[in-house]
Amino acid sequence: MSSATAEETQTVVAARRLEHAGSVFIGVGRPSTAAILARMVHNPDLVLVYESGTIGAKPFHIPLSIGDGELAQTADFVVSVPEMFNYWIGTGRVDVAFLGAAQVDRFANLNSTVIGDYDQPKTRLPGAGGAPEIAAGCGEVVVIAPHNPRTLVERLDFVTTVGHGDGPGSRERLGFRGAGPTALITDLGVLEPDPQTRELTLTATMAGVAVEEVGSCASPITSPSSSRRETLSSPP
């Protein structure tokens, strides 16, 4: 039997974060795969919520998009996008949201808008979608992203989604609900906000990954104390 890839391990670790969640807001790709895995393996009552308005979807296959027909066919009900954000997201009715981004800074703020100058960007990205509202309204946010210097940066080229702003008290000043980002799960490890500074701190590494390897791949990581860090096992 072949060993799990880094991406597969990342998906399993993300799925484990949903063991006790009641509901999760997800997009396509790895977040969707992780949520489907969690519902099938250890949390059968998990309610999957997609931005297209499907609530309680029960897909067996990985959806091609948020408009995949299987989501609507298996959902408990389907609502309009305005209702999704005004009634479900904005009022804090969703426990956990999975988000991705092209750039993540030390306070778990996210960029999914442009790389480079806004007026003349090197790369124009898909944009905000509902991410700003999702991060402001859901109970907590888990960010899933690759672990490399292009993604984990000292300063975002554009702030699309506020995580912990500029540190302690930022979310409260903005009137946001929920805890904000509680974890960044990469292919090398898990980073969580420090209770005092709100800066992302390495709290776990994937099996076979050394702390030095993690630190060499990104700038905003705060070195962990040995008492906080754990090594996550790979899936069988």
Side-chain angles (χ1 to χ4, degrees):
M1 181 180 294
S2 60
S3 300
T5 66
E7 292 76 16
E8 288 170 340
T9 301
Q10 183 183 21
T11 300
V12 170
V13 170
R16 290 171 181 167
R17 303 288 298 203
L18 298 173
E19 184 175 1
H20 302 294
S23 56
V24 58
F25 190 98
I26 44 179
V28 295
R30 194 156 298 141
S32 183
T33 305
I36 294 170
L37 178 64
R39 195 183 70 82
M40 288 183 171
V41 175
H42 54 244
N43 189 350
D45 296 325
L46 180 66
V47 177
L48 274 55
V49 181
Y50 287 84
E51 191 171 344
S52 55
T54 56
I55 298 177
K58 303 168 189 65
F60 180 78
H61 303 92
I62 299 171
L64 298 175
S65 72
I66 59 172
D68 193 305
E70 187 180 12
L71 299 180
Q73 291 168 4
T74 61
D76 293 332
F77 54 97
V78 181
V79 301
S80 67
V81 173
E83 180 178 336
M84 172 66 71
F85 282 92
N86 290 330
Y87 182 80
W88 295 94
I89 300 298
T91 55
R93 286 184 165 88
V94 178
D95 296 337
V96 183
F98 277 176
L99 293 177
Q103 292 181 330
V104 184
D105 71 8
R106 67 174 65 234
F107 293 114
N109 302 304
L110 311 178
N111 172 24
S112 57
T113 303
V114 295
I115 300 298
D117 180 72
Y118 182 82
D119 294 321
Q120 294 183 318
K122 297 177 181 177
T123 304
R124 189 167 293 280
L125 302 167
E133 291 82 4
I134 294 163
C138 291
E140 65 175 290
V141 174
V142 175
V143 181
I144 301 176
H147 205 122
N148 59 60
R150 291 192 305 174
T151 302
L152 307 187
V153 298
E154 183 70 29
R155 184 180 178 86
L156 301 181
D157 291 343
F158 186 91
V159 180
T160 306
T161 304
V162 175
H164 292 289
D166 57 4
S170 288
R171 293 184 63 83
E172 291 77 7
R173 289 193 297 270
L174 292 169
F176 289 171
R177 296 175 180 272
T182 56
L184 165 62
I185 300 175
T186 76
D187 45 320
L188 298 183
V190 177
L191 296 90
E192 298 176 314
D194 181 86
Q196 279 72 49
T197 67
R198 312 313 295 165
E199 291 186 67
L200 291 174
T201 301
L202 183 68
T203 57
T205 56
M206 303 303 185
V209 175
V211 174
E212 293 74 19
E213 181 182 355
V214 177
S216 66
C217 290
S219 56
I221 296 174
T222 301
S223 298
S225 65
S226 58
S227 61
R228 290 192 64 198
R229 187 176 60 83
E230 62 176 320
T231 300
L232 298 170
S233 60
S234 298

